[in-house]
């Protein structure tokens, strides 16, 4: 844009004492930063559009008059010499900030000099600008004037901001270490470095980046060009997002290092690398210009998929998803097989298997949406129409290539705002391809927990796709890769009610296609167990004709059966190949195993159809062996009609004769069967999985320095009992004596009484003031954080709440959606730190980690022989990763620099500061009140705040305190199971009658 000759002065124009010139203003808003030129003899207004963002309008120039109404609504910019004057009529004291300080009402106009920064709040969103430069147009050529001492101003402003940030920081040493202040404050720093310096973000990331040689015609003073720039912003579901996203992994041909926190080097134009020993953060791209720190900090979604053309398959698990955005943003090829498991309130709770999948895009024929099912036992009142507190909440990406498989565990959902605007954690590791598939790796080894990465991964995916046979090929694909080098431990949660089960049950008989087969224990390799039931028992023993004799025979046999230390007795599983109704039917027989004869056994019932359909063929193929165990008194109660609940049956699973040959023998039609088995095998989940992993290490209580958990949601039913359960599972012990050991596993465990006397953990949650002062005000956070007011009131006196301050400092003002826990220790001599760190999708709630339920209530007249231990009730699907730096005495590292827990850079300030007097967390009530205040401030142009959210918030009205009541009853036999069993009984009786007639003849 060429300079204009000085025009005749208009009566409404401001006077200028410095001659004609141009002010360089850097507009900081969503999307790319815009450099604006303001003539020193003009009057401008800075308006805000919900669709197009901030816009600059020329109000006073020759032949034009400004609108009085516009002057009343929008800030006005006028000039005087080398000063820009800001005039505004906002009613809120916090609506305008200059250099981070609120501009009180009545304190306008205000004069701005070079280096000043302004932040404005308009319609619930913050935007702003900085005064970069004044260029005088006097004389024959443009001469860059420095009437205000540009270099000195920039340096002074930089120093002032840093000194203010240091004085206000809760951890000045960490701030100084991370901000490279020494380099910034050097006397030799040139003007360009001073301009490019990473100033502390105030409320919107305002970091001027000079463009010394930028042609004037490219400076976007023209209104059309300015609007064209803001048109690139995207509006999502009625909420302004104004996002200018990165469309690839490269920034030109520039080599950029440090994917996140300086631990790993990588080039953006070649994707990203991680050895799995730490986690990273996503790159924030939604506000203002990308500073040098931001360009070198964080990973993007396209980087994780790069190079996308080499991908063979993709599996994604997420809570919410914007699939069309993902396909476009990551340039996903149209024929690439992509499976996305996501949450849908109607589909996930539907009893119809046909509703489990959807193919939304005809142009992507290999893209399939899967909606994992929630079991009836976690529904309120065991009625699917009364849905429980549950959601499919993991954030997982499995990226398969020919030579490697990348596993990504993140806290970000598959939606743009969480990758652009909100801080999330991202962990990933690449695993090499094997020369041949290894199916034994798909089954956990309790004695070697680190080797169970593959089994935990495949089990979790099997849970999600078990009802979608076409997706069972993922089981086979995972077996092709080597996960033995995993740097962390997967922690999964799956909805259901679980009881502690024995790792091994001694059995003598297993299912056989031919005759009932007695096995030799020496040749059996235990793989796990499946919890199922016996169906048809009530029909068999309630028939008037022979109910008495059958009951008497059952009582006699059960009294002779050997009951093991777990309270169970072995039963006989028999294939019924002569039943037309189901060729896979399996009978359950009770017999005296020491003197077994089939004639003297009692037919108790059958395996459920859904279990028999994969148990029988896998046994027939010789891949696996199955044995059965029941609780004898529970069977008697059901037979006598004392209870109508299902009779539990534990399937003991071991390697079959052909197990080692699976890779050569398995066919495509066998994969759904194997998927069902893997989904049914019982593994430790939630709190019990956390305990399983961390119990392999001794954590010295006296050396603990920190134990904290940062989450975007804290459950409604959080209380000292749950906190104590979590602390105990995490390795917290009441006895600090490291050398003391007792045979009782409960000895020394952290209990509720210990928690009440001395809280074990600090909970990080942002204050309401921090949320209100965010880069977009409360708009971006209002559906992101969840802390019920009653939970805060219940726990506020414990002093466990800490403020969640984003780190590093350039993330201040951006909400955190992280779920990070860490327990840290320092060696006795203070030479090194160790401990463990969790990151993933688990919020701090019983719905995510599980609620420990008391044992089932005993019948007053009978002592039930069911498992008497506690049960774990989990509502959500969740997935996370635990990274462990063990104590030096347990470390296997023999050379090189010793890893430390402090090497893992956390996304918040540590140690987290305690709430100050008067601080209040961003509870649901506080957020509603803040939104009401924002609505009052925006009364002239209200923002619609009623739209649905795509953030992962369980409804607070679904109080998970009801979980104890709804899950304190055992499941009953379903009507379809009764019909199935009755059909089998009729055909078994008919077959036996025909055999007896043939024997008589």
């Amino acid at each position: 844009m060429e300079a204009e000759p000085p025009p005749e002065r208009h009566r409404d124009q401001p006077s200028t004492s410095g001659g004609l010139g141009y002010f360089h203003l850097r507009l900081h808003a969503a999307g790319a930063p815009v450099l604006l030129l303001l003539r020193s003899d003009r009057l401008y207004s800075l308006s805000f559009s919900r669709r197009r963002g901030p816009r600059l309008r020329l109000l006073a120039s020759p032949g034009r008059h400004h609108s009085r109404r516009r002057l009343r609504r929008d800030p006005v910019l006028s000039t005087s010499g080398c000063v820009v004057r800001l005039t505004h009529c906002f009613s809120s004291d916090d609506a305008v900030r200059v250099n981070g300080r609120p501009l009180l009402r009545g304190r306008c106009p205000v004069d701005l000099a070079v280096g000043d920064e302004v932040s404005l709040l308009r319609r619930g969103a913050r935007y702003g600008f900085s005064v970069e430069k004044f260029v005088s147009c006097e004389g024959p050529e443009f001469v860059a004037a420095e009437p205000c001492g540009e270099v000195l101003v920039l340096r002074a402003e930089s120093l002032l901001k840093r000194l203010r940030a240091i004085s206000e920081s809760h951890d000045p040493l960490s701030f100084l270490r991370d901000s490279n202040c020494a380099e910034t404050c050097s006397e030799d720093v040139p003007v360009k470095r001073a301009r490019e310096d990473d100033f502390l973000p105030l409320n919107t990331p305002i970091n001027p980046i000079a463009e010394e040689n930028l042609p004037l015609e490219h400076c976007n003073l023209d209104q059309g060009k300015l609007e064209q720039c803001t048109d690139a912003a995207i509006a999502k579901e009625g909420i302004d997002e104004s996002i200018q996203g990165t469309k690839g992994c490269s920034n030109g041909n520039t080599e950029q290092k440090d994917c996140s926190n300086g631990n790993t080097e990588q080039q953006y134009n070649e994707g990203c690398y991680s050895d799995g020993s730490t986690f990273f953060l996503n790159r924030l791209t939604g506000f203002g210009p990308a500073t040098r720190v931001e360009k070198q900090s964080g990973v993007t979604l396209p980087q994780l998929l790069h190079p996308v053309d080499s991908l063979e398959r993709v599996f994604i698990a997420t809570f919410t998803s914007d699939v069309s955005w993902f396909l476009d943003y990551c340039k996903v090829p149209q024929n690439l097989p992509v499976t996305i498991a996501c949450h849908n309130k109607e589909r996930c709770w539907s009893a119809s298997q046909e509703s489990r999948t959807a193919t939304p895009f005809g142009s992507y024929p290999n893209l399939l949406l899967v909606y994992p099912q929630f079991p009836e036992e976690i529904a309120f009142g065991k009625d699917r129409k009364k849905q429980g507190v549950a959601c499919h909440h993991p954030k997982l990406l499995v990226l398969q290539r020919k030579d490697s498989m990348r596993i990504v565990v993140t806290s970000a959902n598959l939606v743009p705002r969480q990758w652009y605007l909100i801080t999330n954690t991202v962990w990933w590791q690449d695993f090499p391809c094997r020369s041949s598939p290894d199916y034994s790796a798909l089954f956990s080894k309790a004695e070697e927990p680190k080797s169970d990465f593959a089994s935990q991964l495949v089990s979790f995916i099997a849970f999600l796709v078990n009802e979608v046979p076409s997706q069972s090929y993922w089981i086979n694909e995972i077996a092709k890769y080597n996960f033995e080098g995993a740097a962390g431990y997967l922690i999964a949660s799956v909805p259901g009610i679980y009881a502690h089960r024995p790792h091994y049950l001694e059995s003598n008989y297993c299912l056989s296609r031919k005759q009932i087969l007695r096995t030799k224990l020496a040749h059996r390799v235990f793989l796990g167990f499946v919890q199922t039931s016996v169906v048809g028992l009530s029909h068999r023993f309630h028939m008037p004709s022979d109910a008495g004799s059958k009951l008497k025979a059952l009582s006699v046999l059960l009294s002779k059966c050997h009951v093991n230390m777990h309270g169970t007795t072995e039963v006989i599983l028999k294939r019924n190949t002569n039943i037309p109704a189901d060729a896979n039917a399996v009978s359950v027989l009770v017999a005296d195993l020491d003197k077994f004869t089939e004639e003297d056994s009692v037919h108790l019932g059958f395996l459920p159809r859904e279990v028999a359909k994969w148990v029988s063929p896998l046994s027939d193929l010789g891949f696996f062996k199955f044995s059965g165990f029941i609780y004898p008194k529970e069977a008697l109660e059901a037979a006598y009609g004392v209870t109508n609940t299902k009779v539990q049956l534990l399937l003991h699973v071991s390697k079959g004769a052909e197990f080692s040959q699976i890779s050569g023998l398995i066919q495509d039609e066998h994969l759904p069967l194997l998927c069902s088995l893997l989904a049914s095998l019982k593994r430790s989940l939630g709190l019990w999985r956390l305990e399983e992993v961390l119990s392999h290490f001794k954590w010295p209580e006296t050396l603990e320095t920190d134990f904290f958990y940062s989450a975007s949601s804290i459950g409604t039913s959080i209380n000292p009992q749950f906190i104590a359960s979590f602390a105990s599972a995490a390795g917290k012990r009441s006895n600090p004596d490291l050398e003391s050991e007792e045979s009782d596993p409960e000895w020394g465990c952290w209990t509720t009484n210990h928690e009440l006397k001395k809280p074990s953990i600090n909970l990080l949650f942002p204050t309401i003031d921090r949320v209100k002062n965010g880069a977009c005000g409360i708009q971006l956070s209002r559906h992101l954080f969840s802390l019920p007011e009653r939970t805060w009131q219940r726990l506020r006196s414990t002093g466990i709440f800490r403020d969640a301050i984003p780190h590093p400092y350039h993330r201040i003002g951006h909400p955190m959606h992280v779920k990070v826990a860490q327990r840290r220790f320092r060696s006795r001599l203070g030479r090194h730190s160790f401990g463990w760190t969790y990151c993933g999708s688990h919020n701090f709630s019983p719905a995510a980690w599980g609620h420990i339920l008391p044992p089932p209530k005993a019948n007053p007249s009978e002592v039930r022989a069911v498992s008497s231990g506690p049960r774990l009730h989990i509502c959500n699907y969740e997935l996370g990763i635990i990274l462990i730096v063990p104590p030096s005495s347990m470390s296997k590292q023999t050379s090189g620099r010793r890893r430390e827990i402090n090497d893992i850079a956390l996304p918040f300030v540590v140690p987290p500061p305690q709430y100050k007097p008067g601080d209040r967390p961003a509870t649901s009530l506080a957020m509603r009140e803040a939104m009401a205040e924002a609505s009052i401030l925006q009364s002239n142009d209200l923002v619609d705040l009623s739209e649905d959210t795509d953030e992962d918030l369980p409804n607070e009205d679904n109080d998970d305190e009801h979980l104890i009541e709804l899950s304190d009853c055992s499941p009953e036999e379903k009507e379809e199971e009764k019909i199935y069993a009755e059909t089998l009984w009729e055909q078994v009786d008919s077959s036996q009658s025909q055999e007896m007639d043939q024997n008589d003849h």
Side-chain angles (χ1 to χ4, degrees):
M1 175 175 158
E2 297 182 358
E4 303 175 26
E8 296 181 3
R9 185 167 308 282
H10 189 274
R11 63 183 178 88
D12 287 330
Q13 291 178 228
S15 62
T16 60
S17 59
L20 180 64
Y22 287 90
F23 286 90
H24 290 210
L25 265 61
R26 181 72 65 178
L27 181 62
H28 304 294
V34 180
L35 182 63
L36 305 175
L37 294 188
L38 273 66
R39 261 180 62 157
S40 59
D41 59 350
R42 295 286 190 266
L43 188 66
Y44 302 88
S45 73
L46 189 62
S47 63
F48 182 80
S49 166
R50 290 189 61 200
R51 291 186 63 249
R52 296 182 174 180
R55 292 182 293 176
L56 189 68
R57 286 186 170 87
L58 179 63
L59 295 181
S61 61
R64 293 185 60 183
H65 295 272
H66 63 266
S67 167
R68 298 291 182 184
R69 180 177 179 271
R70 176 63 60 185
L71 279 174
R72 289 195 300 270
R73 293 182 55 189
D74 298 322
V76 175
L77 298 174
S78 58
T79 58
S80 177
C82 62
V83 173
V84 177
R85 177 162 294 174
L86 171 67
T87 305
H88 78 91
C89 298
F90 293 160
S91 59
S92 171
D93 287 342
D94 194 44
V96 181
R97 296 185 177 187
V98 178
N99 295 327
R101 302 299 182 186
L103 189 63
L104 302 180
R105 285 174 290 181
R107 291 284 302 277
C108 60
V110 62
D111 291 340
L112 307 173
V114 174
D116 284 340
E117 297 175 356
V118 178
S119 174
L120 304 167
L121 177 64
R122 181 66 171 155
R123 300 186 182 182
R126 280 206 175 271
Y127 62 100
F129 64 89
S130 57
V131 184
E132 277 195 9
K133 189 175 183 181
F134 175 74
V135 178
S136 174
C137 296
E138 296 293 332
E141 297 180 295
F142 289 105
V143 178
E146 296 186 8
C148 301
E150 181 181 12
V151 176
L152 294 177
V153 169
L154 287 171
R155 288 180 177 174
E157 285 298 322
S158 177
L159 287 172
L160 180 62
K161 292 170 194 173
R162 292 187 181 281
L163 289 173
R164 183 168 63 244
I166 293 170
S167 65
E168 295 177 355
S169 173
H170 295 280
D171 188 1
L173 293 178
S174 296
F175 181 91
L176 288 171
R177 181 177 64 249
D178 296 326
S179 61
N180 297 320
C181 187
E183 176 187 1
T184 302
C185 300
S186 172
E187 294 180 0
D188 297 328
V189 176
V191 176
K192 186 174 181 179
R193 173 63 60 84
R195 288 172 178 162
E196 293 176 343
D197 204 15
D198 302 314
F199 293 163
L200 174 69
L202 301 172
N203 292 287
T204 182
I206 298 178
N207 300 288
I209 301 178
E211 299 180 22
E212 304 287 352
N213 301 317
L214 184 67
L216 294 179
E217 61 267 21
H218 294 161
C219 291
N220 296 325
L221 177 62
D222 178 73
Q223 178 67 27
K225 290 185 179 180
L226 179 58
E227 293 186 3
Q228 182 180 6
C229 177
T230 56
D231 282 341
I234 56 174
K236 195 68 183 162
E237 296 182 6
I239 300 178
D240 288 334
E241 300 222 14
S242 300
I243 299 169
Q244 181 71 29
T246 303
K247 294 298 182 181
C249 301
S250 63
N251 184 4
N253 296 320
T254 303
E255 181 179 295
Q256 298 174 337
K257 296 182 179 181
D258 293 343
C259 188
S260 173
N261 54 11
N263 295 335
T264 306
E265 292 187 358
Q266 56 87 34
Q267 293 179 333
Y268 281 140
N269 59 340
E270 295 181 0
C272 49
Y273 168 78
S274 170
D275 63 2
S277 62
T278 187
F279 64 84
F280 302 88
L281 303 179
N282 61 311
R283 191 196 308 173
L284 300 176
T285 60
F287 295 115
T291 68
R292 175 168 52 86
V293 170
E294 288 168 336
K295 286 180 180 178
Q296 298 175 355
S297 174
V299 62
T300 66
L301 194 54
Q303 278 182 262
L304 293 169
L305 272 66
H306 181 82
V308 70
D309 292 337
S310 66
L311 289 171
E312 294 187 345
R313 294 176 183 83
V314 173
F315 182 90
I316 299 175
T318 181
F319 178 68
T320 55
S321 60
D322 186 336
V323 180
S324 59
W325 163 81
F326 164 71
L327 298 174
D328 177 66
Y329 181 46
C330 296
K331 308 301 180 186
V332 177
Q334 289 184 318
N335 291 322
L336 179 68
V338 178
T339 305
I340 301 179
C342 53
H343 183 81
N344 182 283
K345 186 176 181 180
E346 286 71 30
R347 290 174 177 265
C348 288
W349 281 101
S350 172
S352 171
Q353 188 169 339
E354 290 73 19
S355 63
R356 294 282 175 264
T357 60
T359 53
F361 302 104
S363 57
Y364 287 83
N366 296 325
L367 185 144
L368 182 70
L369 301 186
V370 175
Y371 305 97
Q373 184 182 22
F374 294 122
E376 283 188 1
E377 57 190 354
I378 69 168
F380 290 108
K382 296 183 295 183
D383 182 356
R384 285 192 173 277
K385 295 180 180 179
K386 300 178 181 179
Q387 300 171 3
V389 182
C391 60
H392 178 263
H393 196 252
K395 298 91 169 63
L396 166 72
L397 289 88
V398 180
L399 310 174
Q400 183 183 359
R401 292 183 170 89
K402 184 176 181 180
D403 58 347
S404 67
M405 178 174 281
R406 172 170 291 185
I407 307 300
V408 183
V409 177
T410 175
S411 63
N413 288 307
L414 202 66
V415 291
R417 72 178 63 185
Q418 293 210 358
W419 285 94
Y420 291 151
L421 307 175
I422 299 169
T423 294
N424 281 283
T425 59
V426 188
W427 176 92
W428 77 93
Q429 187 174 352
D430 296 319
F431 300 94
C433 186
R434 297 179 180 272
S435 57
S436 61
D438 180 11
Y439 285 87
S440 63
L442 305 184
F443 299 88
S444 63
K445 299 178 181 178
E447 68 278 6
E448 299 178 15
K450 199 157 191 175
S451 67
D452 71 353
F453 190 98
S455 65
Q456 291 288 329
L457 175 65
V458 77
S459 174
F460 187 73
I461 292 179
F463 277 123
L464 304 184
V465 302
N466 187 32
E467 288 191 311
V468 189
S470 65
Q471 295 299 306
S472 58
Y473 67 82
W474 278 104
I475 307 304
N476 190 53
E477 299 306 317
I478 292 175
K480 297 177 180 178
Y481 296 84
N482 188 345
F483 295 89
E484 293 176 2
Y489 304 80
L490 286 177
I491 307 289
S493 290
V494 175
I497 300 175
Y498 307 96
H500 275 307
R501 298 300 181 187
H503 290 292
Y504 181 78
L505 294 171
E506 183 176 318
S507 60
N508 295 308
Y509 293 86
C510 67
L511 184 65
S512 170
R513 187 175 186 177
K514 300 178 181 178
Q515 301 297 323
I516 295 174
L517 183 65
R518 189 179 181 94
T519 64
K520 296 182 179 180
L521 296 176
H523 297 131
R524 305 197 65 183
V525 178
F526 174 69
L527 296 177
F529 67 90
V530 175
Q531 182 178 353
T532 181
S533 62
V534 180
V535 299
L537 187 146
S538 58
H539 175 83
R540 181 63 166 176
F541 292 95
H542 294 170
M543 295 176 62
S545 57
D546 57 354
S549 60
K550 293 292 183 182
L551 285 172
K552 182 177 180 181
L554 179 63
S555 299
V556 171
L557 285 174
L558 288 176
S559 64
K560 295 180 180 179
C561 288
H562 170 69
V563 178
N564 57 36
M565 60 180 295
H566 304 292
T568 64
T569 186
E570 186 177 2
V571 293
I572 303 295
L573 302 179
K574 177 189 176 183
R575 290 280 276 110
N576 295 111
T577 56
N578 59 341
I579 299 180
D582 185 5
N584 293 319
V586 176
S587 294
V588 179
L589 308 178
V590 177
D592 184 351
L593 300 185
D594 294 331
K595 307 175 183 178
F596 173 72
T597 59
E598 191 169 349
E599 291 76 16
D600 295 332
S601 65
V602 173
H603 194 172
L604 194 64
F606 305 90
L607 289 185
R609 180 197 293 271
E610 293 302 310
V611 176
K613 74 177 184 181
W614 53 265
V615 165
S616 292
L618 289 177
S619 174
D620 296 346
L621 290 166
F623 293 162
F624 302 94
K625 295 179 180 178
F626 300 93
S627 302
F629 295 82
I630 63 168
Y631 293 96
K633 288 190 177 180
E634 187 180 62
L636 275 179
E637 285 182 352
Y640 277 98
V642 175
T643 177
N644 59 353
T645 59
K646 291 182 179 180
V647 174
Q648 299 177 81
L649 185 141
L650 303 182
L651 278 179
H652 178 287
V653 185
S654 57
K655 291 184 179 180
E658 304 296 333
F659 182 85
S660 60
Q661 306 299 319
I662 289 182
S663 59
L665 299 176
I666 197 166
Q667 302 295 321
D668 290 345
E669 61 267 23
H670 302 148
L671 293 177
L673 309 177
L674 183 59
C675 182
S676 295
L677 169 60
L678 289 167
S680 301
L681 280 176
K682 294 303 174 184
R683 306 185 190 276
S684 296
L685 299 165
L687 284 177
W688 289 351
R689 170 62 176 170
L690 184 70
E691 182 179 32
E692 180 182 68
V693 170
L694 296 178
S695 64
H696 288 82
F697 303 88
K698 289 184 178 180
W699 305 106
E701 293 293 328
T702 56
L703 303 183
E704 179 188 296
T705 59
D706 290 290
F707 190 11
F708 46 75
Y709 201 124
S710 177
S712 57
S713 177
I714 296 179
T716 303
S717 59
I718 294 296
N719 53 31
Q721 289 80 5
F722 173 78
I723 298 175
S725 298
F726 183 87
S728 179
K732 186 76 175 175
R733 293 294 177 264
S734 60
N735 193 317
D737 187 355
L738 305 181
E739 304 301 325
S740 297
E741 294 185 4
E742 296 289 335
S743 57
D744 183 3
E746 298 297 322
W747 181 86
C749 285
W750 194 259
T751 65
T752 303
N753 290 333
H754 297 128
E755 187 66 34
L756 291 172
K757 293 178 182 177
K758 183 180 180 181
S760 60
I761 190 170
N762 292 324
L763 301 182
L764 276 66
F765 203 80
T767 64
I768 187 61
D769 289 338
R770 184 168 301 282
V771 171
K772 289 162 66 175
N773 294 334
C776 275
I778 199 171
Q779 179 79 351
L780 191 61
S781 303
R782 65 190 188 91
H783 287 301
L784 193 68
F785 300 116
S786 174
L787 172 59
E789 181 71 23
R790 60 177 174 272
T791 302
W792 158 244
Q793 296 299 335
R794 183 191 304 135
L795 298 177
R796 65 183 305 177
S797 62
T798 63
I800 65 176
F801 279 89
R802 300 290 186 270
D803 194 5
I805 303 177
H807 180 82
Y809 64 86
H810 69 263
R811 291 180 178 267
I812 291 177
H814 295 263
M816 290 193 297
H817 186 246
V818 303
K819 300 91 167 60
V820 173
Q822 189 178 81
R823 192 176 184 212
R824 300 194 297 180
F825 303 82
R826 173 66 65 175
S827 65
R828 294 187 185 279
L829 300 179
R831 294 178 179 174
H832 69 278
S833 61
F834 58 94
W836 57 265
T837 306
Y838 166 86
C839 66
S841 71
H842 290 77
N843 279 307
F844 195 69
S845 70
W849 285 103
H851 185 89
I852 296 181
L853 303 176
K857 296 178 181 178
N859 188 303
S861 60
E862 293 278 349
V863 178
R864 299 189 64 187
V866 299
S867 177
S868 57
R871 296 172 297 164
L872 186 68
H873 184 175
I874 298 176
C875 292
N876 293 354
Y877 290 96
E878 307 277 4
L879 190 67
I881 191 84
I882 280 202
L883 307 174
I884 295 180
V885 179
S888 56
S889 59
M890 303 184 68
S891 176
K892 297 180 180 179
Q893 187 174 350
T894 57
S895 61
R897 177 185 176 275
R898 177 182 293 168
R899 288 181 55 226
E900 297 200 24
I901 193 68
N902 290 338
D903 293 339
I904 299 177
L906 299 174
F908 40 77
V909 171
V910 175
Q914 192 168 9
Y915 278 15
K916 299 187 296 292
D919 278 351
R920 179 187 183 188
T923 64
S924 304
L925 177 60
M927 297 282 273
R928 289 194 294 269
E929 292 175 350
M931 288 305 299
E933 294 175 6
S935 297
I936 294 174
L937 294 177
Q938 302 164 18
S939 57
N940 292 332
D941 196 354
L942 288 175
V943 176
D944 183 11
L945 304 177
S946 62
E947 72 278 357
D948 292 334
T949 175
D950 63 1
E951 305 300 346
D952 42 314
L953 259 196
N955 188 343
E956 184 185 345
D957 294 335
N958 289 340
D959 189 347
D960 52 5
E961 290 178 345
H962 297 307
L963 297 179
I964 297 177
E965 300 177 5
L966 70 92
S967 57
D968 195 34
C969 51
S970 301
E972 299 179 1
E973 198 171 46
K974 299 178 182 178
E975 190 62 32
E976 58 267 26
E977 291 176 334
K978 293 180 180 179
I979 296 173
Y980 169 72
E982 290 173 3
T983 303
L984 296 186
W985 278 124
E986 292 174 359
Q987 295 186 2
V988 166
D989 293 339
S990 176
S991 175
Q992 290 177 348
S993 298
Q994 292 178 4
E995 290 179 2
M996 292 177 60
D997 292 341
Q998 292 176 359
N999 292 335
D1000 292 340
H1001 291 293

